[in-house]
Amino acid sequence: MATVVERERKYSADEGFRLPDLTGCGGVATMSDATAFDLDAVYVDTPDLRLARSGFALRRRTGGHDAGWHLKVGAAGGARTEYQFPAGADDLDPPAELVGLFRAASRGQAVEPAARITTHRAERRLLDAAGRVLAEVAEDTVDGRDLVTGERQAWREIEVELVDGDDRLLDAVQSRLREAGARPVPVSKSHRALAGRLAAVTDAAPTDPVAHYALTQRDVLIANHPGARHGDEDAVHDMRVAVRRLRATLRTFRGRWDRDRSEALRAELRWLGGQLGSVRDAQVMAARLTDAVRAEPADLVLGPVTARISERFAADLATALDELVRTLDSDRYTELLAGLDRLLEAPPARAVDARWVGRRVRRAVTRADDRLDRALDGTQEGDVALHEARKAYKAARYAVEVREPDAGQPAAALVERLKDLQDLLGTHHDSVVTREVLRRQALRAYADGENTFTYGLLHARQAAAADREVRAIPAARDRARRRKVRRWLTK
């Protein structure tokens, strides 16, 4: 299976449109002659079009230079990840490897033919003075048919896809195309072909900010499923954060949803977050310790420290990734996603107005303040209490984010102050965890007869870093509590 990142923009064009000369746009020196070919693609989806609604497009295409199964993830008009898989002549079902990648979007449902799109394409290459291909421009004559309703459409479309060019080239080409009469198109061909059915099954946008925020996090979770399944660090991180935001939102805004159902989903989200956390923690700790060793002078690194760290975390990461894949392939996972759909897309269990949301946000912020105050005044055990304060400030920050669309800059400013405070608390917690890992590594090294000096040195460095972070917390707390940063909360 091949994976590519596709960066393209699409435009509609009337019958009389003529492609303008694009030389001079973003370093384009020459345009090649057109190469013509025909493409025939059958798009498959669930009966309720869950893939399309989640920003996924799955097709089996013949013709062109990349015939086969393609799974595209991401919104049209931006960067999209495309997974490509070869298809045999009689291969009518998507391969299992692709099924695993869209399992979250389909909620585990079977897929079936949804639309057929045939395209006559005239493609030109945009080259720089050295003959390097910067982009490809395709003039498409398209015929799209919904295979369920029979609805049919025909249109012309221009696609500009980067090869070795950059966004400045896309911007320059867009300006030239618009001058010639082309108009940007925000949707893919498959969305256009399925527009009638999509309109019928797509729910209206939620009217309250809490539901909108929660649905956005659900969509982030689903969009990052393919990358997380492959262990992509950014995807695992983003998916884990989306899970945290969902759990915090369901807790902070209890009462917005049926309590029994929301608490059951919080428990399942905690399970999913734990699986993602095992992978992410191994990735982060391996990088953290490797960087720490590299930062030391060579004469202070005694014994095979780097090799032992690499061995330890490579094994931990492989085990965690295997478990994550099993999780993402499980019925329990798809049942969790289906449960989220039912909860988040249902009418609210109670009326939600701005005053109710505001009270809940203020309560989350106050709870975090109280946790931190108890940690700093010695009322509770230091490291554990600081970690609990960190988690409370995460929940508070997520609650403030719910109000950010309507409160604007004041909410954004508080989010930044809370994030600064949360980061200090997070660095302190990371130091606590790292010291324990180093202690265990030192014990293993000692048992194997290896020098443990460097582990002790790194342990001391981490302890000193933790002390610095603790000393910086009061100032960050005070900045986050300034009246001008918080006074909007009472409105």
Side-chain angles (χ1 to χ4, degrees), residues 348-359:
R350 57 152 295 151
V352 175
D353 59 22
R355 293 182 64 185
W356 183 85
V357 173
R359 286 196 301 272

Side-chain angles (χ1 to χ4, degrees), residues 376-399:
L376 293 179
D377 67 15
T379 304
Q380 297 180 344
E381 183 182 349
D383 290 344
V384 173
L386 287 171
H387 181 47
E388 290 302 313
R390 175 202 184 196
K391 292 193 292 185
Y393 273 115
K394 279 186 180 180
R397 183 181 127 216
Y398 300 154

Side-chain angles (χ1 to χ4, degrees), residues 440-452 455:
R440 293 180 182 178
Q441 285 293 112
L443 290 173
R444 291 183 184 183
Y446 180 80
D448 292 337
E450 296 173 356
N451 195 307
T452 62
Y455 297 109

Side-chain angles (χ1 to χ4, degrees), residues 89-362:
D90 299 322
D91 184 8
L92 301 180
D93 295 317
E97 192 168 355
L98 278 186
V99 172
L101 296 180
F102 66 76
R103 183 178 176 82
S106 70
R107 313 307 196 264
Q109 296 182 65
V111 293
E112 60 187 26
R116 182 177 184 180
I117 295 175
T118 57
T119 304
H120 178 74
R121 171 165 291 180
E123 187 174 87
R124 292 175 171 83
R125 293 182 170 185
L126 306 182
L127 302 96
D128 65 11
R132 186 170 56 117
V133 180
L134 301 178
E136 294 175 341
V137 179
E139 295 182 84
D140 292 340
T141 302
V142 186
D143 184 272
R145 181 162 60 95
D146 186 318
L147 295 176
V148 174
T149 67
E151 182 180 356
R152 193 165 192 164
Q153 301 179 60
W155 68 90
R156 289 190 68 200
E157 188 170 291
I158 311 298
E159 286 188 5
V160 184
E161 182 174 353
L162 289 181
V163 180
D164 285 331
D166 56 25
D167 286 344
R168 290 175 297 176
L169 169 61
L170 286 178
D171 291 341
V173 169
Q174 176 166 294
S175 178
R176 192 77 57 90
L177 291 176
R178 296 192 72 167
E179 289 173 0
R183 300 174 301 280
V185 176
V187 296
S188 64
K189 290 182 175 68
S190 57
H191 270 68
R192 191 161 179 172
L194 294 167
R197 272 203 292 154
L198 278 171
V201 298
T202 301
D203 296 315
T207 57
D208 68 90
V210 178
H212 182 270
Y213 184 83
L215 286 166
T216 298
Q217 301 314 312
R218 178 205 62 181
D219 294 344
V220 170
L221 190 158
I222 291 166
N224 282 285
H225 168 100
R229 199 174 183 280
H230 282 161
D232 177 82
E233 293 188 8
D234 289 339
V236 173
H237 171 74
D238 290 349
M239 194 173 180
R240 186 187 191 189
V241 171
V243 168
R244 285 174 172 168
R245 284 187 164 111
L246 281 166
R247 290 191 69 235
T249 302
L250 292 176
R251 183 180 188 275
T252 299
F253 299 98
R254 282 173 176 161
R256 166 60 176 76
W257 298 280
D258 176 85
R259 180 71 173 266
D260 291 339
R261 292 169 62 195
S262 65
E263 287 302 297
L265 281 169
R266 285 191 73 240
E268 288 299 275
L269 286 165
R270 183 177 185 179
W271 161 74
L272 176 59
Q275 306 304 310
L276 292 160
S278 295
V279 175
R280 186 63 185 145
D281 290 345
Q283 292 170 334
V284 170
M285 189 59 69
R288 169 185 277 264
L289 291 181
T290 300
D291 290 344
V293 174
R294 287 175 179 166
E296 295 295 335
D299 60 341
L300 296 183
V301 180
L302 307 182
V305 179
T306 302
R308 293 294 180 261
I309 289 171
S310 177
E311 292 166 3
R312 153 80 186 276
F313 288 102
D316 287 354
L317 181 57
T319 300
L321 273 173
D322 286 344
E323 183 59 33
L324 178 60
V325 171
R326 283 192 290 271
T327 295
L328 300 183
D329 286 346
S330 69
D331 291 341
R332 181 178 177 180
Y333 172 61
T334 52
E335 287 167 5
L336 163 59
L337 296 176
L340 271 177
D341 292 338
R342 289 191 294 271
L343 184 75
L344 301 183
E345 295 172 3
R350 57 152 295 151
V352 175
D353 59 22
R355 293 182 64 185
W356 183 85
V357 173
R359 286 196 301 272
R360 294 285 173 150
V361 173
R362 289 193 298 275

Side-chain angles (χ1 to χ4, degrees), residues 30-45:
T30 57
M31 290 176 61
S32 72
D33 293 334
T35 300
F37 47 91
D38 293 309
L39 306 172
D40 190 343
V42 173
Y43 286 78
V44 297
D45 208 326

